[in-house]
Amino acid sequence: KGERLYVRKTDKCIIKHTKYIEAEVQKIVKAAIAATLGNRDELIRKAIDTTIDQYVDKDGQPCKKDSWKAMPYLDFVAQKTVEKVVREAICETVEENADAFKAEIKRQLGSRKCRENAAQAFIQVMLDDAKSEWGMPVRISFQKLKD
């Protein structure tokens, strides 16, 4: 690690696959250590305890317990799972009812009250902008406009 690997252009695939090879080597070494030490059940229990007791940040990366927005790993996993399920349910509901939503939106936008409210809001914005130099600057010019 830390050393830079120099290769020819034809050997670029070596660089890309180095991280995958490194991960596989780590798995093999860890399995060999576990087999040598014996008592695999105890090692697995300790690994699970360590993982469960781990605190993570908002991105799921391990962090200190007193870090800003740190949360237990299980809480993080539960939160992300609920968010994913809710997002999927909303998407399914919208897709299944798209025509009904579209019809209702058109109905409400076509109502007299909606048109009156939109017109009133537009007029109010124009009046507010006219009072501000930043919103709608007014300039006077005595030159003929070019077409």
Side-chain angles (χ1 to χ4, degrees):
K1 281 190 167 182
E3 294 181 16
R4 190 166 198 153
L5 178 64
Y6 292 97
V7 293
R8 296 182 308 255
K9 288 182 180 180
T10 56
D11 296 332
K12 284 187 178 179
C13 64
I14 293 173
I15 294 171
K16 290 180 182 177
H17 299 292
T18 301
K19 64 181 177 181
Y20 301 113
I21 294 169
E22 191 175 303
E24 288 301 314
V25 169
Q26 286 179 357
K27 286 180 185 177
I28 293 168
V29 169
K30 289 175 183 176
I33 291 170
T36 303
L37 294 175
N39 199 359
R40 291 182 185 171
D41 293 339
E42 180 65 22
L43 290 173
I44 291 170
R45 186 189 62 73
K46 285 182 181 178
I48 291 171
D49 287 345
T50 302
T51 302
I52 289 174
D53 293 340
Q54 179 69 48
Y55 275 73
V56 295
D57 62 13
K58 63 182 176 81
D59 298 319
Q61 298 299 317
C63 67
K64 293 180 181 179
K65 185 176 183 176
D66 59 348
S67 293
W68 186 67
K69 290 198 175 184
M71 66 175 71
Y73 178 71
L74 285 181
D75 290 356
F76 173 80
V77 171
Q79 177 183 345
K80 292 300 176 186
T81 302
V82 169
E83 287 174 3
K84 180 182 175 193
V85 170
V86 168
R87 202 173 287 120
E88 289 172 358
I90 290 172
C91 288
E92 286 176 15
T93 302
V94 169
E95 287 174 7
E96 290 171 0
N97 299 298
D99 292 335
F101 289 150
K102 185 176 178 180
E104 181 62 22
I105 291 169
K106 282 184 175 182
R107 185 186 72 74
Q108 288 187 18
L109 288 175
S111 72
R112 182 172 182 241
K113 184 176 181 179
C114 181
R115 287 192 308 266
E116 288 173 359
N117 289 342
Q120 183 60 38
F122 178 75
I123 291 168
Q124 190 61 48
V125 166
M126 293 296 289
L127 291 173
D128 291 345
D129 282 349
K131 295 175 186 175
S132 168
E133 291 181 23
W134 296 99
M136 186 186 347
V138 176
R139 294 196 175 112
I140 298 173
S141 175
F142 295 105
Q143 296 178 355
K144 185 176 182 180
L145 293 175
K146 297 178 183 178
D147 288 332

